[in-house]
Amino acid sequence: MAQPDGLRSRPRAGAAGAQQSWGGEAGSDDDKPTRKNVPDFDDADDDDSDKSTRLTLMEEVLLLGIKDREGYTSFWNDCISSGLRGCILIELALRGRIDLEPATLRRRELSLRKIVCKSDTPTGDAILDEALKHIKETDTSMTVSSWIELLSGETWNPLNLKYQIRNTRERLAKNLVEKGVLTTEKQNFVLFDMTTHPVSNPSSKQGLIKKVQESVLNKWVNDPHRMNKRWMSLLLMANASDVLENAFAPLSDKDYELATRRVNLLLGLDCEAEVLKEGTNSVMWAVFNFFK
């Protein structure tokens, strides 16, 4: 799927391109990780014992894209639909519900390996459980790319429309309303009325934006496998959904350059090589690979 090559730096007179590589990132000593800057990389919050107010990956990406006062995402954003479906697959994988089939000689590439259901235990989230039901009950196992397209409704086969998760953005927005982050209003657009969901709890969104910024600034480490899986997923899926810029816009020029350079480091990773390392989540890397 065609996606932007990565975040572009703000225009700046005399700015020189920095050499990008893991473990040897260009920059001052402040760019190098110290023990006090290393975040808690414990993924214990990936299980189902989360508090009822904890946001899912899909909700976080949508919240980044929603305009605070207007209460809707940009009409020009044609990436967020498929991005949210990718988030659904990652969320299910982080909760231990799905995985990729083992690699074989014939199916070694991430794009060829099929998704398998590990557990059909309900997650308690209606959208996740709907997707999990589709994956479990389908007659033929399918790849990550096929599932993203089917969950988005992108199919020429009318028989496959049953897999589409409809009204995803509206349902996620209602979840955020229930969690006290958004509210519901009606807005008149001359020819029609539209239900919108402005931000009602600015501190929640600011906390999310701060988390995104810190993950590539003062809590950055030069090893993707030491990063919290949710943090890295949020960064890359926000970029795939074309909403990451909303989190970086308030940054100073210096911090913006550093943040975009580090995101581009993540975007430049070889997913096929990274998934072979110990402790990886294969579905997560397969989704990243799909959006490259």
Side-chain angles (χ1 to χ4, degrees):
M1 179 174 179
Q3 287 291 329
D5 293 334
L7 290 172
R8 292 180 173 81
S9 300
R10 289 174 179 168
R12 199 170 97 190
Q19 186 70 25
Q20 299 183 10
S21 63
W22 287 98
E25 182 185 0
S28 67
D29 290 340
D30 293 337
D31 292 350
K32 300 176 182 178
T34 61
R35 188 65 234 170
K36 67 178 181 179
N37 285 337
V38 176
D40 179 8
F41 292 106
D42 182 8
D43 287 322
D45 63 343
D46 295 344
D47 60 25
D48 295 339
S49 63
D50 297 350
K51 297 178 181 179
S52 60
T53 55
R54 191 184 299 276
L55 304 187
T56 64
L57 183 59
M58 307 91 70
E59 292 165 352
E60 288 180 325
V61 169
L62 180 67
L63 183 56
L64 287 177
I66 285 181
K67 300 178 180 180
D68 291 9
R69 294 183 180 179
E70 293 86 345
Y72 51 84
T73 57
S74 171
F75 292 126
W76 308 108
N77 188 338
D78 58 356
C79 301
I80 195 168
S81 178
S82 59
L84 290 174
R85 271 62 177 194
C87 290
I88 291 173
L89 295 182
I90 292 177
E91 186 73 42
L92 285 173
L94 291 176
R95 295 185 184 216
R97 300 306 195 274
I98 61 174
D99 200 353
L100 289 189
E101 63 181 356
T104 64
L105 289 176
R106 297 181 63 185
R107 291 180 179 173
R108 181 174 297 178
E109 297 178 7
L110 287 170
S111 60
L112 299 178
R113 293 165 63 185
K114 309 291 183 66
I115 288 181
V116 294
C117 179
K118 290 176 58 181
S119 170
D120 60 356
T121 304
T123 65
D125 181 280
I127 292 178
L128 292 177
D129 289 341
E130 182 180 344
L132 182 61
K133 182 174 182 289
H134 289 324
I135 293 172
K136 179 179 181 294
E137 295 181 353
T138 184
D139 295 330
T140 306
S141 298
M142 290 180 280
T143 62
V144 162
S145 60
S146 295
W147 273 117
I148 290 177
E149 291 168 358
L150 289 177
L151 295 176
S152 302
E154 298 177 4
T155 175
W156 292 101
N157 187 346
L159 297 178
N160 287 336
L161 288 175
K162 62 183 179 180
Y163 297 119
Q164 180 182 6
I165 298 184
R166 303 178 185 275
N167 304 317
T168 303
R169 270 179 269 189
E170 179 63 21
R171 291 166 67 183
L172 289 173
K174 288 182 178 179
N175 288 348
L176 290 170
V177 170
E178 292 176 359
K179 293 178 179 180
V181 180
L182 304 179
T183 188
T184 302
E185 295 180 358
K186 287 279 188 180
Q187 287 198 29
N188 181 273
F189 288 87
V190 181
L191 298 178
F192 61 93
D193 291 334
M194 186 174 81
T195 301
T196 60
H197 300 283
V199 174
S200 61
N201 186 351
S203 62
S204 294
K205 183 165 185 178
Q206 288 304 313
L208 174 61
I209 290 174
K210 182 180 179 182
K211 180 172 76 170
V212 173
Q213 293 174 351
E214 287 184 340
S215 67
V216 288
L217 293 175
N218 62 308
K219 292 184 177 179
W220 169 263
V221 290
N222 284 336
D223 182 355
H225 295 281
R226 292 181 60 209
M227 292 185 71
N228 181 291
K229 292 182 178 67
R230 286 188 178 275
W231 286 25
M232 183 162 62
S233 297
L234 177 57
L235 282 170
L236 294 184
M237 296 314 298
N239 181 72
S241 303
D242 199 17
V243 298
L244 185 57
E245 174 66 24
N246 297 344
F248 286 175
L251 294 174
S252 66
D253 284 348
K254 180 181 178 181
D255 285 344
Y256 184 92
E257 293 286 344
L258 182 58
T260 53
R261 184 168 73 242
R262 287 172 169 173
V263 170
N264 286 330
L265 283 174
L266 292 174
L267 293 173
L269 290 170
D270 182 353
C271 297
E272 298 286 356
E274 298 300 328
V275 76
L276 299 177
K277 298 180 181 179
E278 186 178 356
T280 58
N281 185 298
S282 56
V283 172
M284 185 181 78
W285 286 102
V287 173
F288 295 164
N289 190 59
F290 172 79
F291 286 103
K292 290 191 71 172

